[in-house]
Amino acid sequence: MIIPSTIGKPLSSTTFDSAAVESAGGPGLPQERRLVTAIPGPRSVEMHTRRGAAVSAGISSTLPVYTADAGGGVLVDVDGNSLIDLGSGIAVTSVGNAAPRVVERVRRAVGHFTHTCFMVTPYEDYVTVAEKLNELTPGRHAKRTALFNSGAEAVENAVKIARSATGRTAVAVFDHAYHGRTNLTMALTAKSMPYKKGFGPFAGEIYRMPMSYPFRDVPGISGKEAADRAISMIEKQVGADDLAAVLIEPIQGEGGFVVPADGFLPALSEWCTANGVVFIADEIQSGMCRTGDWFAVDHEGVVPDLVTTAKGLAGGLPLAAVTGRAELMDAVHPGGLGGTYGGNPVACAAALGAIDTMQELDLNAAARRIEQLALPRLVAVAQRSGRIGDVRGRGGMLAVEFTVGGGLEPDPATAAVVARACHAQGVVVLTCGTYGNVIRLLPPLVIGEDLLEEGLGILEAAILAA
Ligand SMILES: Cc1ncc(COP(=O)(O)O)c(C=O)c1O
């Protein structure tokens, strides 16, 4: 076995070896699962000990193997283990880690300039990213885009824009929603532990509505009926006249990959249009080819007024966006939006490389192929295991919900056991859900079929052994 030369070398700047960069990650890495130590291995354990003394305990890691290289469908750790990546760094590296077009654009950009601040002296790549997002997001109306650093920042700005454009203050959000960790987005997020506990007081004028969650909803309720239930609550508790925006993840991410019943999103969107309310689709996890469409709302032909993107947008570099109707985006006074780093030139170059990759490799088709391969296997293992209540998702955004005896009672303990077993076998899976009982799959959309099948086999075995 040949271990790439970077493995095991400390990554600190004092010992940085520029030659090693050339031979590092990307799709050229052997696309194989390879365990050469226990998981985590000794070097990871050593780094984890250093981390404990240096990094805030408030930041945790799902799997403390320290990464040396990554690409295609694998992560290689500092001990030389090669793990199958079914998480993409939480839906970020959809185009693969160190994707060639991203690396090439970033290298070129970083050698020209690293920052000017778009609000001081602008640059072309920012404008090009905006043009691309205006073109790719749903609807053929005139659009504008503003760029930010993180998903939470994009959501905050979408709310600012909706309030500024409508002159209204209230925002309706949903059960199980996750929108970020800043003060406003904590208020928009549903789950207390770990996201909100002890961090209040939170921003006001946020109203939580019932979500369409078919597995846990009133049996037989349609998407339209679930939307009417939420709308009726909004009308009674807030009043359309005071409502600036309805903010929703078209497929919920951290809340458990909840796919609302068909008809739910179109009915909400239509009501918003009829009442002058801004319909904001938070596509930060579900957007950019993840579900087999550019955006999850495309599945039902919904055209949001504002769309937030981040995660998959820039192949791993921090970049986020709000894209939407020109009249809303331009309603904000000049200087009202922005930020020192928003739309950093290197991150914009990365986004252009990532979008090229999505188009050239047709990653929407790749996501649909992942669903075709994985969904039937998940359904079959659910039937055999008796510990799974629901299998759901779309494209490369799939999940299994663990419940006691396959009923409704959440079973987070089994989800944790299964996740740990996968990790020990070198397969990176993530958990999520309001009840912590969901295992979600978010593979890089460029993952090879053999590797995906192998990862699924290990997951299945772990489920059946739990
Ligand atoms: C739907 C959604 N919105 C917002 C966010 C926040 O993004 P960030 O972590 O980049 O702030 C996330 C992150 O998981 C998300 O999934």
Side-chain angles (χ1 to χ4, degrees):
M1 182 197 58
I2 298 165
I3 297 178
S5 60
T6 48
I7 289 169
K9 290 188 181 171
L11 299 176
S12 70
S13 56
T14 46
T15 54
F16 190 74
D17 173 358
S18 62
V21 171
E22 301 302 325
S23 61
L29 280 174
Q31 295 298 298
E32 62 184 15
R33 184 176 66 101
R34 185 183 65 232
L35 298 185
V36 295
T37 70
I39 299 290
R43 286 178 192 273
S44 280
V45 170
E46 191 188 313
M47 288 178 192
H48 208 56
T49 305
R50 274 175 51 206
R51 166 197 171 135
V55 178
S56 164
I59 298 175
S60 58
S61 298
T62 301
L63 174 56
V65 297
Y66 283 68
T67 312
D69 294 309
V74 297
L75 294 167
V76 179
D77 74 11
V78 289
D79 290 286
N81 299 296
S82 175
L83 292 84
I84 300 177
D85 181 11
L86 300 184
S88 301
I90 321 186
V92 169
T93 51
S94 299
V95 294
N97 243 300
R101 291 168 186 81
V102 172
V103 171
E104 191 197 318
R105 292 253 194 184
V106 163
R107 281 205 174 126
R108 226 185 303 146
V110 84
H112 281 288
F113 60 97
T114 50
H115 172 82
T116 64
C117 185
F118 192 75
M119 300 183 304
V120 179
T121 57
Y123 37 88
E124 184 178 3
D125 279 359
Y126 187 120
V127 178
T128 311
V129 171
E131 287 168 347
K132 295 257 180 204
L133 285 171
N134 295 347
E135 184 189 312
L136 293 170
T137 47
R140 298 274 60 90
H141 49 275
K143 291 180 210 154
R144 304 281 187 269
T145 286
L147 298 180
F148 304 98
N149 302 294
S150 69
E153 213 189 328
V155 173
E156 290 239 3
N157 278 280
V159 171
K160 281 165 63 175
I161 292 161
R163 284 177 169 161
S164 174
T166 59
R168 306 171 181 178
T169 52
V171 180
V173 291
F174 290 85
D175 286 332
H176 312 288
Y178 181 86
H179 297 291
R181 296 173 182 266
T182 57
N183 187 265
L184 174 58
T185 57
M186 276 192 295
L188 299 166
T189 289
K191 189 173 173 180
S192 168
M193 192 64 185
Y195 309 123
K196 299 165 74 164
K197 188 174 181 302
F199 298 142
F202 302 112
E205 282 304 286
I206 312 294
Y207 299 87
R208 194 161 306 284
M209 300 299 147
M211 180 64 183
S212 166
Y213 187 161
F215 174 59
R216 296 192 170 278
D217 214 326
V218 177
I221 185 172
S222 70
K224 170 79 171 68
E225 287 162 344
D228 288 345
R229 177 179 60 191
I231 289 164
S232 157
M233 271 180 74
I234 291 172
E235 286 174 341
K236 288 197 191 80
Q237 296 183 18
V238 190
D241 290 350
D242 286 331
L243 189 64
V246 166
L247 168 66
I248 190 162
E249 302 156 83
I251 296 181
Q252 290 182 321
E254 307 304 299
F257 280 28
V258 177
V259 185
D262 281 353
F264 182 71
L265 296 170
L268 281 179
S269 154
E270 279 159 30
W271 179 85
C272 285
T273 305
N275 289 277
V277 174
V278 179
F279 184 76
I280 308 173
D282 180 349
E283 293 262 12
I284 284 164
Q285 194 153 159
S286 58
M288 306 308 294
C289 303
R290 179 47 63 186
T291 63
D293 287 299
W294 280 100
F295 297 93
V297 285
D298 290 335
H299 187 69
E300 288 189 274
V302 170
V303 178
D305 299 307
L306 300 178
V307 178
T308 56
T309 49
K311 293 193 181 282
L313 174 60
L317 273 79
L319 189 70
V322 182
T323 302
R325 294 187 185 281
E327 64 275 20
L328 300 176
M329 298 293 296
D330 287 344
V332 180
H333 50 275
L337 303 176
T340 305
Y341 297 110
N344 167 273
V346 183
C348 284
L352 296 176
I355 292 169
D356 276 356
T357 308
M358 291 172 202
Q359 290 177 317
E360 285 170 26
L361 301 186
D362 193 357
L363 292 191
N364 281 320
R368 291 194 290 270
R369 177 79 185 133
I370 289 170
E371 177 182 330
Q372 253 175 21
L373 286 175
L375 200 58
R377 290 186 64 162
L378 297 175
V379 169
V381 77
Q383 278 158 359
R384 287 176 66 197
S385 98
R387 287 167 176 266
I388 293 173
D390 195 26
V391 175
R392 55 180 178 259
R394 203 183 298 145
M397 186 170 184
L398 303 171
V400 288
E401 176 161 359
F402 290 89
T403 56
V404 177
L408 280 175
E409 190 186 331
D411 184 0
T414 298
V417 165
V418 171
R420 272 200 303 274
C422 289
H423 297 166
Q425 289 296 310
V427 179
V428 181
V429 294
L430 307 172
T431 55
C432 66
T434 297
Y435 316 103
N437 63 331
V438 176
I439 287 190
R440 55 175 154 174
L441 303 181
L442 290 161
L445 301 177
V446 294
I447 193 170
E449 288 189 7
D450 289 352
L451 211 56
L452 177 63
E453 301 268 18
E454 187 180 347
L456 289 169
I458 288 162
L459 173 63
E460 286 162 354
I463 290 171
L464 295 174

